[in-house]
Amino acid sequence: MISHLPLYPLLVPLLAGIFTLMFKRLGINTQRWFSVGFLLLLLFVNLVAFNSTFHTSATVYALGGWEPPYGITLVLDKLSALMVLLTSLLALGAFSYALFERMDTKSLHFHPLFWLQLFGINGAFLTGDLFNLFVFFEILLIASYSLILHGNKEERVKAGLHYVILNLVGSVLFLLGIGTLYGVLGTLNIEDLALKISSLPNSDVGLVAAAGLLLLVVFGLKAAMFPLSFWLVHTYSSISAPVVALFAILTKVGIYAILRVHGTLFGADAGELSYYYIPWVLNLGLLSLIISTLGVMAAHSLKNKIGYLVLVSISMLLILLGINTQEAISAVIYYTIHSTLIAGGFFLFADLLARKNILPHIRLVGGLFFAYALAIAGLPPFAGFFAKVMLLDAAIQNSQQAMIFTLVLTSTLLILITLARTGSSLFYEQKFEHEGVATVLHRRSLLSIFFLLFLSVLLVVFAHPIMEFLSQTAVEIIHLKEMTE
Amino acid sequence: MELLLALIIATLTGTGIFLALRARTYPVVLGLTLLSYAANLFLFAMGRLSINQPPIYNEQITHYTDPLPQALVLTAIVISFSMSAFVIILSLKAKAQLGNDHVDGKEQIKEEPKL
């Protein structure tokens, strides 16, 4: 049983997707019970998987017993287990909101698609093979294409069209990158690729470098890195709330892929190609930060603002990836957890504000907005503050420290001012986006939003053990190769 | 043969990119399809070109063609085929709901986009 542990986070969502589709005829309530049951099971499985990584190093699971480098592997290590666990926690928040607000009945197949989305995300986190990563990307993409249309509004069709076309081009580039790597190196297993790159003859360096940068474009598109980020705000602000809350993890899949694929392939042992992609990531991250901060200030609606705030958090993560020290890597993971949860919760919150009459609960809702604004701007007592401290701390030794300090601190200040302005116009002048008589807010819907915020508070309360774990994780990522040899 | 295949891939990619940059959904879908053909051929060629050789490794056989890219291409073809089907349906839906087949959903930009 336990030896198949890396497989369970994939099997549970896949089976759940199949079952919810199969038993659709029994009615929406049966589907809901199925989904709740499977979600709790998934959470349990992920906790067990996460727990198992505390004392062991990476578990490499050969699918079908085909040993690497010939077969496809799943890798369960501290980072992938943590990301999978984070996905299931976020899914719990998004899913409970969909249930509380009865949003899962607005199109035919919400439940199966939701599960296939989780299947794709978990697979992308767990796989140890580059082509398999492509396949899981496609699974999560095709589920997300359909989920974008959930709720069926004109705006969503338009946003969906852009998103689908962009990602199809991304998939083509991904295939070209994979093809080039396979043509030169003759393998697709990520660790094996790293091994081959460390003994690469000089004549092939250019080809492999080009393939690596092609992959960076693909992952940058997923993560919404600066020149590839224009789709995000429009898409995210027009799709339905539980879906967009779950999508908060999708951009992080891109960040994870850069960390995992580029960090392993072009790590310290890669000779001439060692960390050659870092300047790109750092400079594009800084550029992203400028553009997205301006976007936050310019955006009119709260949903657009949150879209740009997601871009801000992505830029921070890119900058941290670009600093590329052990502290920076552990800060990447810490900030990923925080920003995913907060962005997901904030999207749900914006949806409530846009659709419901909140006047009977205005103090509660106003307080919640205040907490979320502090959390997303990165002020104490929330985890974003610690992440920023870690960022600045890690940036001190970097050659671009002046630039990083100026941009990060200015951006935080500007975001804070903008959010204060948004809060005052929302709650003092009460300029809400809904028109006419909206239904009164039901308090249980706030539960999911509180839940996601509470998780971020837990990140602060248990900051010390979490940071210890994360620095072990960072060591594991940086020294992956030494351990496998 | 290598030159011929390279030319084919280059032509497919070139026309694919050109069409994908058009403003109507039909040429864009066509462009995406051509791009995925190019990617599939490219992936196939990465196993090196060889004719009349078995796609399997055996102790007695010294010359064999690499079977892995063929398996990869098969997967990629299935995926790109389904994605093409999806994007066709989506653009038909967009045409039906938005009333035109412009990728931005409107004939021309007359006013500031509503925020």
Side-chain angles (χ1 to χ4, degrees):
Chain A
M1 278 300 273
I2 206 79
S3 63
H4 295 292
L5 196 58
L7 202 55
Y8 294 133
L10 292 183
L11 272 185
V12 174
L14 183 61
L15 287 179
I18 293 171
F19 277 125
T20 47
L21 190 61
M22 244 163 62
F23 296 112
K24 190 178 177 305
R25 59 174 61 195
L26 297 181
I28 189 81
N29 274 327
T30 322
Q31 274 191 323
R32 282 177 182 155
W33 282 115
F34 259 114
S35 288
V36 170
F38 272 109
L39 202 52
L40 293 179
L41 181 65
L42 180 65
L43 208 56
F44 172 73
V45 165
N46 287 347
L47 276 173
V48 173
F50 180 64
N51 190 37
S52 77
T53 62
F54 268 96
H55 305 294
T56 55
S57 54
T59 320
V60 177
Y61 180 84
L63 282 170
W66 292 88
E67 290 302 318
Y70 301 107
I72 293 170
T73 55
L74 298 178
V75 179
L76 182 77
D77 60 1
K78 292 188 173 66
L79 179 61
S80 56
L82 187 67
M83 294 306 285
V84 169
L85 181 65
L86 171 68
T87 310
S88 54
L89 287 172
L90 183 73
L92 190 63
F95 187 76
S96 59
Y97 184 82
L99 283 194
F100 290 146
E101 288 288 306
R102 303 277 181 268
M103 286 179 114
D104 53 341
T105 52
K106 291 198 174 160
S107 66
L108 271 178
H109 295 298
F110 178 78
H111 291 269
L113 287 172
F114 187 86
W115 280 110
L116 289 180
Q117 178 81 69
L118 283 181
F119 173 61
I121 296 173
N122 285 354
F125 286 141
L126 283 171
T127 185
D129 183 278
L130 203 54
F131 195 80
N132 203 226
L133 181 67
F134 166 75
V135 173
F136 277 118
F137 264 27
E138 294 304 309
I139 292 173
L140 76 86
L141 280 176
I142 199 142
S144 73
Y145 296 160
S146 314
L147 278 175
I148 280 182
L149 303 176
H150 174 71
N152 220 347
K153 281 185 186 162
E154 276 184 13
E155 197 55 24
R156 287 177 192 161
V157 175
K158 217 167 86 183
L161 199 59
H162 290 178
Y163 178 80
V164 171
I165 291 171
L166 269 176
N167 276 301
L168 284 179
V169 176
S171 306
V172 169
L173 290 181
F174 202 168
L175 274 182
L176 293 179
I178 289 176
T180 315
L181 279 182
Y182 184 81
V184 179
L185 302 166
T187 177
L188 286 171
N189 185 295
I190 294 177
E191 282 166 26
D192 201 32
L193 278 171
L195 214 62
K196 294 258 165 65
I197 287 178
S198 60
S199 56
L200 191 67
N202 256 341
S203 54
D204 290 339
V205 165
L207 266 177
V208 173
L213 288 183
L214 261 182
L215 293 184
L216 189 66
V217 172
V218 178
F219 300 150
L221 177 68
K222 293 277 172 315
M225 193 163 73
F226 160 60
L228 308 162
S229 60
F230 297 106
W231 56 272
L232 186 134
V233 175
H234 180 55
T235 311
Y236 277 29
S237 60
S238 55
I239 55 188
S240 80
V243 176
V244 74
L246 187 63
F247 279 18
I249 194 86
L250 279 193
T251 46
K252 272 67 175 189
V253 175
I255 297 286
Y256 172 86
I258 295 177
L259 184 59
R260 179 47 54 96
V261 175
H262 287 80
T264 314
L265 257 54
F266 308 110
D269 300 340
E272 209 175 313
L273 291 175
S274 172
Y275 295 123
Y276 79 109
Y277 64 98
I278 286 293
W280 287 98
V281 174
L282 181 59
N283 293 324
L284 287 175
L286 289 169
L287 261 177
S288 299
L289 187 61
I290 300 173
I291 303 286
S292 46
T293 308
L294 293 178
V296 174
M297 294 188 346
H300 283 280
S301 79
L302 183 57
K303 281 186 185 172
N304 278 354
K305 268 196 205 317
I306 303 170
Y308 280 110
L309 284 168
V310 168
L311 287 182
V312 169
S313 71
I314 291 295
S315 329
M316 296 283 182
L317 290 173
L318 288 172
I319 292 171
L320 277 170
L321 276 182
I323 294 171
N324 198 35
T325 57
Q326 189 200 318
E327 294 83 44
I329 299 290
S330 46
V332 167
I333 308 163
Y334 191 71
Y335 196 56
T336 300
I337 305 172
H338 163 77
S339 64
T340 307
L341 296 170
I342 290 299
F346 214 169
F347 271 121
L348 297 179
F349 185 65
D351 180 63
L352 271 189
L353 281 186
R355 289 190 304 111
K356 298 282 178 168
N357 177 9
I358 54 144
L359 289 179
H361 306 291
I362 188 130
R363 281 168 192 233
L364 186 65
V365 175
L368 200 55
F369 179 84
F370 182 60
Y372 263 101
L374 285 184
I376 208 158
L379 286 189
F382 294 99
F385 176 69
F386 285 88
K388 266 185 194 153
V389 171
M390 281 185 258
L391 193 164
L392 296 179
D393 194 35
I396 287 179
Q397 277 123 33
N398 197 277
S399 56
Q400 298 210 33
Q401 42 152 301
M403 190 71 131
I404 296 174
F405 266 76
T406 321
L407 285 180
V408 169
L409 293 175
T410 321
S411 136
T412 309
L413 177 68
L414 291 177
I415 287 169
L416 200 63
I417 294 171
T418 316
L419 284 174
R421 172 89 191 96
T422 313
S424 63
S425 77
L426 273 177
F427 294 102
Y428 291 157
E429 300 165 28
Q430 307 199 336
K431 283 185 196 156
F432 294 111
E433 281 159 33
H434 60 75
E435 291 143 13
V437 194
T439 46
V440 174
L441 168 76
H442 208 294
R443 227 183 270 178
R444 66 179 177 195
S445 304
L446 288 177
L447 216 63
S448 328
I449 299 170
F450 268 118
F451 170 69
L452 292 173
L453 186 70
F454 176 68
L455 288 177
S456 172
V457 174
L458 282 188
L459 268 185
V460 181
V461 175
F462 296 104
H464 183 65
I466 290 175
M467 276 322 290
E468 239 166 46
F469 178 78
L470 290 184
S471 65
Q472 283 172 21
T473 312
V475 172
E476 197 175 283
I477 298 165
I478 294 171
H479 301 293
L480 194 64
K481 249 176 295 173
E482 288 156 31
M483 281 175 14
T484 47
E485 272 163 24
Chain B
M1 191 164 68
E2 277 82 0
L3 185 66
L4 190 64
L5 192 73
L7 278 177
I8 292 172
I9 294 174
T11 317
L12 280 173
T13 315
T15 38
I17 291 173
F18 176 76
L19 286 173
L21 292 174
R22 308 294 291 177
R24 305 275 155 191
T25 45
Y26 180 69
V28 171
V29 170
L30 217 54
L32 290 174
T33 320
L34 289 182
L35 271 179
S36 68
Y37 291 165
N40 290 342
L41 275 179
F42 179 78
L43 205 55
F44 186 68
M46 279 302 121
R48 303 298 185 268
L49 300 176
S50 47
I51 293 175
N52 283 342
Q53 272 161 9
I56 196 157
Y57 177 72
N58 191 321
E59 298 277 317
Q60 282 98 47
I61 299 171
T62 49
H63 293 290
Y64 62 96
T65 170
D66 192 347
L68 193 69
Q70 304 183 6
L72 299 185
V73 161
L74 212 56
T75 318
I77 287 174
V78 173
I79 290 176
S80 63
F81 183 67
S82 63
M83 292 293 173
S84 302
F86 184 85
V87 78
I88 287 170
I89 295 298
L90 183 64
S91 44
L92 283 176
K93 189 181 164 80
K95 169 90 173 71
Q97 287 208 344
L98 306 170
N100 64 72
D101 65 345
H102 196 277
V103 280
D104 284 331
K106 50 189 155 195
E107 277 304 320
Q108 63 230 43
I109 297 158
K110 291 170 195 153
E111 59 209 349
E112 284 290 307
K114 209 172 73 184
L115 290 168

